[in-house]
Amino acid sequence: MDFGIKNKVALVLASSKGLGRAIAISLAKEGVKVVLTGRSVDEMNATAKAITADGGYAYVLPWDLHQLDEIDAKVTQIEKDVGPIDILINNSGGPPMSQAFNQPIELWQTSFNQMILMIMKVTDRVLPGMRERKWGRVITTTSSGTVSPIANLAISNTLRMALNGWSKTLSNEVAAEGVTVNIILPGRVLTDRIMHLDGQRAVKEGKPLEEITQKSVSTIPMKRYGTPSEYADAATFLASQQASYITGTSLRVDGGSFAGL
């Protein structure tokens, strides 16, 4: 199937590894010009090499996404070197494991700036161009913890819910202008982040890592973790022409883990 997005320009935030990297690779396979961002130049270069070896286009942009004052300059550079941004993949790293009670105010503030405010401000910068051209895709990764809170991930559960509300509100504001705005909720998708969290739980509970992993997998109806490419392909579909009437929605990619309807 031709997704109709060849030669579109996609800015993929935090794409040096994990879900961001997988989404960049998936989009590039559809002929999208992908802009890779992050702090690890070596990892981004490796991803760019894999994309170009497969006939795709990748532009590497070192960018510390925690620096909010760099947003305008970085987007301007992309527009100059690659072209106007048609597809925005909002992605960020996760905060440390935490309980809800008695967390330092500084941790809440730093996490909000890095996970939420950064995404909102990047979107504010690229959205006017999408609206003017009457075509755009804003796709934001949050977490399955926003619909079913995950133990010991209180900061992630709490703050990422703000992105769900923001995304739904924004989708209504721009729907008539050819811009779709959607959320994707990853479940247990096998990335370094999931492996790290499983490792921390193993240490906390004093159990072997294999036991922790097996217990987690047993709660998933598909009885396995998802792969990054499975998640990424869902994002690519939402970026496609075929998804032009899908907006303001939250798509769960979790192997059926969510118990609700």
Side-chain angles (χ1 to χ4, degrees):
M1 180 182 293
D2 181 2
F3 277 177
I5 50 177
K6 185 177 181 179
N7 291 323
K8 296 290 189 184
V9 176
L11 169 56
V12 186
L13 302 183
S15 46
S16 62
K17 59 183 179 180
L19 297 179
R21 178 182 187 274
I23 292 171
I25 291 172
S26 180
L27 287 169
K29 289 179 179 179
E30 296 299 319
V32 175
K33 297 178 180 179
V34 174
V35 178
L36 304 170
T37 64
R39 289 176 290 181
S40 176
V41 176
D42 288 343
E43 289 179 330
M44 287 191 293
N45 283 336
T47 300
K49 184 177 181 180
I51 288 172
T52 55
D54 198 34
Y57 176 98
Y59 178 89
V60 172
L61 180 62
W63 184 356
D64 183 351
L65 295 168
H66 300 163
Q67 304 300 318
L68 299 179
D69 59 352
E70 293 186 358
I71 291 172
D72 183 63
K74 294 295 187 182
V75 173
T76 298
Q77 181 178 342
I78 295 167
E79 293 170 338
K80 177 183 176 182
D81 293 348
V82 186
I85 295 166
D86 304 295
I87 300 165
L88 174 60
I89 304 296
N90 285 322
N91 180 52
S92 68
M97 294 180 69
S98 62
Q99 295 183 334
F101 175 69
N102 204 30
Q103 296 301 321
I105 189 67
E106 294 80 10
L107 179 58
W108 285 105
Q109 290 173 331
T110 299
S111 299
F112 179 81
N113 287 342
Q114 295 177 357
M115 296 168 52
I116 311 302
L117 190 57
M118 175 271 294
I119 283 175
M120 293 176 175
K121 298 312 294 180
V122 173
T123 304
D124 285 347
R125 175 59 179 79
V126 305
L127 194 58
M130 294 180 179
R131 301 174 80 170
E132 183 178 346
R133 296 187 300 276
K134 303 298 181 184
W135 200 97
R137 302 287 187 265
V138 178
I139 301 166
T140 303
T141 288
T142 61
S143 167
S144 59
T146 63
V147 293
S148 181
I150 302 169
N152 297 312
L153 288 180
I155 292 176
S156 177
N157 296 338
T158 303
L159 296 184
R160 291 194 196 277
M161 286 185 71
L163 288 175
N164 287 13
W166 165 81
S167 182
K168 179 62 176 178
T169 305
L170 181 62
S171 71
N172 292 334
E173 295 175 358
V174 300
E177 298 172 296
V179 180
T180 66
V181 183
N182 291 293
I183 290 280
I184 311 183
L185 312 176
R188 305 290 288 179
V189 179
L190 190 56
T191 61
D192 290 345
R193 165 78 170 169
I194 292 298
M195 295 172 63
H196 175 70
L197 292 175
D198 280 356
Q200 286 192 313
R201 289 191 177 97
V203 171
K204 183 177 181 179
E205 298 179 20
K207 297 178 180 178
L209 177 59
E210 289 185 1
E211 182 178 339
I212 295 295
T213 301
Q214 289 173 358
K215 182 178 179 181
S216 179
V217 167
S218 71
T219 66
I220 303 171
M222 286 191 173
K223 303 305 178 187
R224 65 176 178 86
Y225 285 167
T227 66
S229 62
E230 288 174 316
Y231 183 85
D233 288 345
T236 297
F237 171 72
L238 287 177
S240 72
Q241 296 284 13
Q242 286 83 347
S244 60
Y245 203 58
I246 300 174
T247 194
T249 193
S250 295
L251 174 63
R252 296 190 300 274
V253 183
D254 64 358
S257 296
F258 180 59
L261 298 177

